[in-house]
Amino acid sequence: MAATPSPSRNPLFALRFWSCGLFFALPAIVIVISLPGQVRRRRAAHRTARLLFRVAGIRLRVHGLHALPKESCIVAANHASYLDGIVLTAALPPRFGFVIKREITKAPLLGWLLHRLGSEFVDRFDRKAAHSDASRIIRRARTGACLGVFPEGTFKAEPGLRSFHLG
């Protein structure tokens, strides 16, 4: 599967994208958080992410969704920017939740949004907590959860694929 926004290094394009993001972000977060039921919240997040790219003039092309199994599965993706989660939210079916670093839960509103969307959080610094988190996530996958993960764990402004993290 490939989900690729059309790349552009034009500063005006970036300004347009982030302006659209700011215009949509706060109302979308409030709406998604306030919706009853995880299924509705995930559908709203999926549609909002797709709309954000459309309004920003980014054509999102998704290939290979037909290859995703109907039952639980894990999608692993490279992690190149803060937009990766938004791209996968737009590209993948709304049944997918994401595995995210626990530190993000401290971000006002964003942490609450991700929790309400059914994200799984992992501790990256405490080995015992990370092991417990990994066990919990494996149980979720075995009971039908579809998860998106970024095995690189983080991203840097360097070309190429980083080493995958265990767990």
Side-chain angles (χ1 to χ4, degrees):
M1 174 175 62
T4 313
S6 301
S8 176
R9 299 204 186 273
N10 180 333
L12 291 176
F13 180 85
L15 178 64
R16 178 179 167 195
F17 179 81
W18 287 110
S19 296
C20 290
L22 290 175
F23 174 73
F24 284 113
L26 190 56
I29 289 171
V30 170
I31 290 168
V32 170
I33 286 173
S34 65
L35 286 173
Q38 189 178 81
V39 172
R40 284 186 181 143
R41 290 188 292 270
R42 283 186 178 176
R43 275 192 207 131
H46 174 76
R47 290 178 184 140
T48 302
R50 293 184 73 83
L51 180 62
L52 171 64
F53 286 116
R54 193 171 337 158
V55 170
I58 298 173
R59 193 172 113 210
L60 188 65
R61 292 179 295 164
V62 181
H63 304 279
L65 287 178
H66 66 280
L68 290 174
K70 299 294 181 207
E71 61 275 358
S72 69
C73 64
I74 295 174
V75 170
N78 293 357
H79 201 3
S81 83
Y82 287 113
L83 292 178
D84 296 336
I86 299 169
V87 170
L88 285 185
T89 298
L92 291 173
R95 63 189 168 107
F96 278 83
F98 295 94
V99 177
I100 303 168
K101 63 184 179 181
R102 186 169 308 283
E103 305 96 274
I104 205 73
T105 61
K106 292 182 173 104
L109 216 52
L110 182 59
W112 193 24
L113 168 70
L114 295 171
H115 175 72
R116 296 276 292 162
L117 289 171
S119 300
E120 290 291 337
F121 300 98
V122 293
D123 193 306
R124 301 185 308 161
F125 303 109
D126 179 336
R127 283 186 179 266
K128 188 174 180 178
H131 178 70
S132 175
D133 293 337
S135 296
R136 185 190 70 251
I137 292 166
I138 290 168
R139 281 193 306 276
R140 287 249 2 251
R142 286 185 176 146
T143 60
C146 295
L147 300 168
V149 300
F150 298 104
E152 294 168 284
T154 192
F155 59 88
K156 286 189 177 179
E158 300 172 353
L161 187 63
R162 296 176 42 106
S163 297
F164 285 10
H165 291 269
L166 297 176

